[in-house]
Amino acid sequence: MDCPLIGAALMLASAFLPYAVAKDGSGVEAVSQAIGTDMSKPSMVTFTRVYMDNAGQYVASSQAYVTLVVTMAIVLFAVLTLLFAALRKPIAAMIFDILAGLAFLAQNFDFSARGVVPSGNYSWGISYYLMFAAIVVALIGSIWLFVAKRRIPA
């Protein structure tokens, strides 16, 4: 019965786990030294922080803000999914779970289209795969909770 809660918690954790993993140590090491942040296994939050810190210098300002808004949306929707799962409100949990999934797909499309991840330097990290699994677990758990709340006792 706690599947939506577990899925939502994993979605939230995914924002802080490695979203990308460096393939080539030397290229990523040079970038890490230039910006002063270890970029060997950056999370979604790390990418956002680095983009915002380097807006206008290494990254276009508009791109930094797009990444910030999309990452914040993913985290916000994951938190709302977690909240409504804890309150045992399956319809609201499903809605925010789906919104988190859509925001995550938008971020993946953006990163892929710009050649950030996957690329010659990076492959997808555990967060990429865990987020998809967490979204499915939260969605199935919310549906299960919805059905369980609607059953008529025999």
Side-chain angles (χ1 to χ4, degrees), residues 23-42:
K23 290 180 181 177
D24 176 23
S26 61
V28 172
E29 198 172 300
V31 170
S32 296
Q33 288 178 352
I35 62 174
T37 301
D38 180 21
M39 294 298 288
S40 62
K41 294 180 182 178

Side-chain angles (χ1 to χ4, degrees), residues 48-124:
T48 302
R49 188 172 35 82
V50 167
Y51 278 28
M52 292 306 295
D53 289 347
N54 296 287
Q57 185 177 4
Y58 298 112
V59 179
S61 294
S62 59
Q63 184 57 54
Y65 285 104
V66 166
T67 303
L68 174 67
V69 168
V70 173
T71 303
M72 285 178 57
I74 293 167
V75 171
L76 174 66
F77 294 144
V79 167
L80 290 172
T81 303
L82 184 64
L83 172 68
F84 286 113
L87 294 173
R88 305 185 65 74
K89 303 290 185 189
I91 294 174
M94 280 187 261
I95 290 169
F96 288 112
D97 181 50
I98 291 168
L99 289 173
L102 292 173
F104 186 65
L105 288 174
Q107 184 178 48
N108 293 341
F109 175 77
D110 175 49
F111 275 53
S112 295
R114 290 185 297 113
V116 177
V117 181
S119 66
N121 290 329
Y122 290 105
S123 61
W124 295 116

Side-chain angles (χ1 to χ4, degrees), residues 3 6-8 10-11 14 97 104 126-141:
C3 287
I6 292 167
L10 289 173
M11 285 173 26
S14 292
D97 181 50
F104 186 65
I126 187 68
S127 171
Y128 174 80
Y129 302 105
L130 182 61
M131 183 64 111
F132 285 117
I135 289 167
V136 170
V137 167
L139 186 61
I140 291 172

